[in-house]
């Protein structure tokens, strides 16, 4: 009887252990519960019709919903539909909205160092930029910048594109004297360089640039990559497109999330957002690289555009002026100086690899009529 009783106890205990193990396994495998559902209302600074610029965020939204099993969703609002592009940071920080997709360069007037996390004149290309962000101190400094400035946001790099064009002009720019007095839409730290060279710069959202050109409010503009600029129709009004994009060799875009919302989100949701944005960095870069050649060829062969390469002398003027701007900005703002010094130190080390490992670039593709200035 004792053995029979022991067998019953062992069987009962085994059933309880198996049941507990099954419950634990199901909890580990299950998505967040209904109580953990999260809806991110996400106004964006760039139209989703602009490839590589606005197109990444709907794909992020799709992946977030899939990876979370529907417990987290992102509703994307086109520019101006919920919050104007230049108000996204303040709106996310205050909790008026819980997320937004934009670029840090738009906050130069609020945070002097912000453009360093968006695009740097003569700065890193996309691969080097991502290396600094993810495996240098870049991402830590990026978040520290917002924290130090008093903004209640969590920042995630969420897209990156390769070089932009250097600008669209109504006439050729033969030398620095031809820049004097121009009214030009220009972005970020490159805009400060142009100001030093006598250009009156303004920062307009993408949708406002064509009307400003058409009405004569500005004489010239830069905005983005050729395939993106093509959607905005600059070639209809100004026919000289300059390269290389010395002011933006790569541009990073950010997903801002209200920090209270981020802190209250489950670890699963946080991980999904982080990894969806990392995947988007790859996807946006690949998309941008894939579609530029066709736009360049179409501009020359069908749109009457003249592609012009800046002369070495003009590039040296831009580079020397950028050095002056960088020194001035660092002297005015302690955090700018800190972030720039860290980026420069990373780039010095990276150059040991870059200068030895990569093939030198050849000249422009003259088959589509690139003109040397």
């Amino acid at each position: 009887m004792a053995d029979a009783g022991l067998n019953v106890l062992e069987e009962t205990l085994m059933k309880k252990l198996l049941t507990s193990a099954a419950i634990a396994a199901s909890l580990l495998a299950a998505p967040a519960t209904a109580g953990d559902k999260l809806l991110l209302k996400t106004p964006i600074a760039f139209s989703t019709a602009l490839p590589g610029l606005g197109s990444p965020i709907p794909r992020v939204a799709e992946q977030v919903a899939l990876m979370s099993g529907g417990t987290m969703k992102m509703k994307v609002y086109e520019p101006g539909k919920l919050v104007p592009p230049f108000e996204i940071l303040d709106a996310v920080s205050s909790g008026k909205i819980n997320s937004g997709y934009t670029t840090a360069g738009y906050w130069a007037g609020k945070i002097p160092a912000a453009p360093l996390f968006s695009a740097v004149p003569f700065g890193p290309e996309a691969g080097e930029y991502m290396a600094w962000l993810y495996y240098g101190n870049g991402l830590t400094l990026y978040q520290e910048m917002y924290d130090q400035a008093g903004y209640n946001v969590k920042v995630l790099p969420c897209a990156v594109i390769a070089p932009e064009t250097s600008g669209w002009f109504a006439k050729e720019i033969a030398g620095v004297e031809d820049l004097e007095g121009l009214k030009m839409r220009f972005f970020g730290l490159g805009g400060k360089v142009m100001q030093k060279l006598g250009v009156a710069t303004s920062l307009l959202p993408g949708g406002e640039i064509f009307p400003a050109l058409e009405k004569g409010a500005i004489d010239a503009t830069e905005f983005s990559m050729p395939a993106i600029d093509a959607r905005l129709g600059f070639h209809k009004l100004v026919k000289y497109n300059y390269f290389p994009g010395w002011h933006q060799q790569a541009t990073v875009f950010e997903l801002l999330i209200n920090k209270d919302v981020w802190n209250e989100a489950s670890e699963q949701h946080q991980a999904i957002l982080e990894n969806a944005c990392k995947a988007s960095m790859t996807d946006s870069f690949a998309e941008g690289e894939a579609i530029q050649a066709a736009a360049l060829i179409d501009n020359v062969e069908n749109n009457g555009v003249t592609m012009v390469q800046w002369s070495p002398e003009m590039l040296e003027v831009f580079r020397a002026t950028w050095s002056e701007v960088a020194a001035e900005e660092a002297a005015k703002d302690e955090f700018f100086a800190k972030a720039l010094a860290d980026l420069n130190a990373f780039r010095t080390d990276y150059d040991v690899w870059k200068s030895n490992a990569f093939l030198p670039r050849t000249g422009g593709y003259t088959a589509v009529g690139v003109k040397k200035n």
Side-chain angles (χ1 to χ4, degrees), residues 64-137:
V64 161
L66 286 171
M67 289 191 285
S68 69
T71 63
M72 179 167 54
K73 295 182 179 179
M74 179 183 290
K75 183 172 176 58
V76 175
Y77 294 84
E78 294 290 342
K81 294 298 183 182
L82 189 62
V83 175
F86 292 162
E87 296 178 17
I88 290 175
L89 173 60
D90 287 331
V92 175
S93 179
S94 69
K96 179 180 179 181
I97 52 175
N98 59 10
S99 64
Y101 173 77
T102 179
T103 188
Y106 279 173
W107 322 131
K110 306 171 186 289
I111 311 172
L116 293 173
F117 299 92
S118 183
V120 181
F122 297 94
E125 297 178 10
E128 185 180 0
Y129 224 152
M130 287 189 279
W132 178 61
L133 286 169
Y134 292 122
Y135 289 94
N137 297 319

Side-chain angles (χ1 to χ4, degrees), residues 103-108 111-124 128-130 132-133 138-139 141-142 145-146 187-190 192 247-248 250-254 322 325-327 329-330 333-344 347:
T103 188
Y106 279 173
W107 322 131
I111 311 172
L116 293 173
F117 299 92
S118 183
V120 181
F122 297 94
E128 185 180 0
Y129 224 152
M130 287 189 279
W132 178 61
L133 286 169
L139 193 51
L141 288 165
Y142 201 172
M145 176 189 73
Y146 282 126
F187 176 81
L189 294 166
K192 292 183 180 292
H247 64 303
Q248 285 177 261
T251 308
V252 174
F253 302 91
E254 61 186 13
W322 159 239
V325 169
E329 295 298 307
D333 186 80
E334 184 178 348
F335 191 83
F336 186 103
K338 176 182 176 179
L340 182 61
D342 189 89
L343 174 59
N344 285 341
R347 298 196 70 202

Side-chain angles (χ1 to χ4, degrees), residues 185-239:
R185 187 270 184 196
F186 219 96
F187 176 81
L189 294 166
K192 292 183 180 292
V193 172
M194 296 298 272
Q195 288 170 16
K196 269 188 166 290
L197 297 175
V199 179
T201 66
S202 57
L203 182 59
L204 301 173
E208 296 179 19
I209 299 174
F210 187 93
L213 277 172
E214 193 171 35
K215 295 173 183 176
I218 56 176
D219 307 309
T221 189
E222 63 75 48
F223 184 63
S224 193
M225 305 173 85
I228 298 168
D229 289 351
R231 300 292 181 97
L232 298 179
F234 301 150
H235 60 271
K236 298 175 183 177
L237 301 174
V238 281
K239 297 295 187 179

Side-chain angles (χ1 to χ4, degrees), residues 4 16 35 62 96 103 130 149 160 181 183 227 231 297 347 349:
K16 287 182 178 180
E62 179 183 355
K96 179 180 179 181
T103 188
M130 287 189 279
V160 64
K183 296 174 293 183
R231 300 292 181 97
I297 294 169
R347 298 196 70 202
D349 288 345

Side-chain angles (χ1 to χ4, degrees), residues 124-186:
E125 297 178 10
E128 185 180 0
Y129 224 152
M130 287 189 279
W132 178 61
L133 286 169
Y134 292 122
Y135 289 94
N137 297 319
L139 193 51
T140 299
L141 288 165
Y142 201 172
Q143 183 63 56
E144 182 184 342
M145 176 189 73
Y146 282 126
D147 293 345
Q148 190 179 100
Y151 286 95
N152 188 40
V153 298
K154 170 69 176 179
V155 63
L156 298 174
C158 210
V160 64
I161 58 174
E164 300 191 349
T165 81
S166 190
W168 291 84
F169 299 86
K171 60 181 183 179
E172 288 191 70
I173 307 298
V176 178
E177 63 279 0
D178 291 332
L179 294 173
E180 184 73 34
L182 278 181
K183 296 174 293 183
M184 187 173 185
R185 187 270 184 196
F186 219 96

